């Protein structure tokens, strides 16, 4: 049983470290000033409605079967199981305590971190009131290609993939643009 706990702990820890490193390379903006465009995530979405600032918006709720939650469960299960066995308790007790702690940490992580972040991101990016809003180009938008913009809503900063609405030329990094339309999570912009 100790080998099972050891494998779970090391696998969960390895997944967390690898996810962090790949997140720095492919996942988005970090405190190190690195920005990238690829976002890989696997989850199961269920359609629900939520109330946000008095306006009801249909958004998908995030599933608890996200890789982050599963990795947290496996890591805590393995780590707590190893600690209980090393204290001299039985395998059954280690299995029970490891499972309880893993569920508790996973539920807390889901309720306090994953769900609030998902709701905030979904509502912010599905809001059609962004049409006409100013944004700054943070990755040059070449002719007929994608770039990236940064905009601020309610003192929160967001980034989004962007294309020039008119195909006349290049919109360079640092220029201020106006969001003209949003289709399939792509923001179409024009120079201000």
């Amino acid at each position: 049983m100790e080998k099972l706990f050891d494998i779970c702990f090391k696998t969960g820890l390895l997944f967390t470290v690898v996810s962090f490193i790949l997140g720095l390379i492919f996942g988005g903006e970090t405190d190190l000033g690195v920005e990238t465009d690829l976002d890989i995530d696997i989850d199961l979405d269920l359609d629900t409605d939520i109330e946000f600032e008095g306006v009801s918006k249909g958004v998908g709720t995030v599933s608890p079967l996200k890789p982050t939650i599963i990795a947290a469960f496996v890591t805590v299960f393995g780590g707590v199981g190893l600690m209980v066995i090393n204290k001299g308790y039985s395998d059954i007790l280690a299995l029970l305590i490891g499972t309880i702690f893993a569920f508790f940490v996973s539920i807390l992580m889901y309720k306090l971190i994953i769900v609030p972040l998902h709701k905030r991101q979904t509502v912010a990016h599905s809001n059609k009131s962004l049409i006409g809003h100013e944004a700054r180009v943070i990755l040059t938008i070449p002719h007929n290609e994608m770039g990236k913009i940064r905009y601020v809503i309610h003192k929160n900063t967001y980034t989004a993939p962007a294309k020039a609405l008119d195909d006349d030329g290049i919109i360079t990094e640092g220029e201020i643009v106006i969001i003209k339309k949003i289709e399939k999570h792509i923001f179409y912009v024009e120079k201000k």
Side-chain angles (χ1 to χ4, degrees):
M1 195 61 141
E2 185 174 354
K3 188 166 184 93
L4 172 69
F5 290 130
D6 189 47
I7 290 170
C8 287
F9 179 70
K10 288 177 180 173
T11 302
L13 195 60
L14 179 66
F15 179 83
T16 303
V17 170
V18 169
S19 295
F20 177 75
I21 291 169
L22 290 177
L24 289 175
I25 297 169
F26 299 114
E29 189 172 340
T30 67
D31 291 337
L32 302 173
V34 178
E35 291 186 18
T36 57
D37 293 323
L38 185 60
D39 185 17
I40 299 172
D41 196 6
I42 300 169
D43 62 20
L44 304 172
D45 288 338
L46 307 170
D47 289 329
T48 61
D49 289 336
I50 63 167
E51 185 90 359
F52 184 74
E53 294 184 11
V55 179
S56 178
K57 300 186 181 291
V59 298
T61 59
V62 65
S63 168
L65 297 176
K66 293 182 72 60
T68 307
I69 301 294
I70 294 169
F73 180 89
V74 170
T75 306
V76 171
F77 172 77
V80 170
L82 279 175
M83 287 190 292
V84 172
I85 282 184
N86 287 335
K87 292 284 184 189
Y89 294 101
S90 71
D91 291 348
I92 301 294
L93 188 60
L95 185 67
L96 181 65
I97 292 173
T99 302
I100 290 170
F101 269 86
F103 270 116
F104 181 72
V105 168
S106 298
I107 290 168
L108 281 178
M109 190 171 173
Y110 175 73
K111 293 284 187 187
L112 300 177
I113 298 172
I114 302 295
V115 170
L117 286 175
H118 179 74
K119 284 182 181 178
R120 180 177 156 202
Q121 180 184 21
T122 303
V123 171
H125 290 291
S126 66
N127 192 345
K128 294 298 180 188
S129 68
L130 291 174
I131 306 302
H133 195 76
E134 283 188 6
R136 180 175 303 273
V137 176
I138 59 171
L139 183 62
T140 299
I141 304 172
H143 179 67
N144 283 333
E145 291 184 34
M146 289 266 220
K148 195 171 191 179
I149 60 170
R150 175 179 288 139
Y151 59 96
V152 178
I153 301 292
H154 305 295
K155 297 181 184 177
N156 293 312
T157 303
Y158 302 94
T159 60
K163 276 186 145 181
L165 192 59
D166 56 350
D167 296 328
D168 299 315
I170 296 171
I171 304 176
T172 59
E173 184 176 333
E175 287 192 64
I176 302 295
V177 293
I178 304 294
I179 300 168
K180 292 296 186 176
K181 70 178 181 176
I182 304 168
E183 289 180 356
K184 298 180 182 176
H185 304 292
I186 298 172
F187 288 55
Y188 290 85
V189 299
E190 284 182 350
K191 291 182 185 180
K192 183 173 178 185

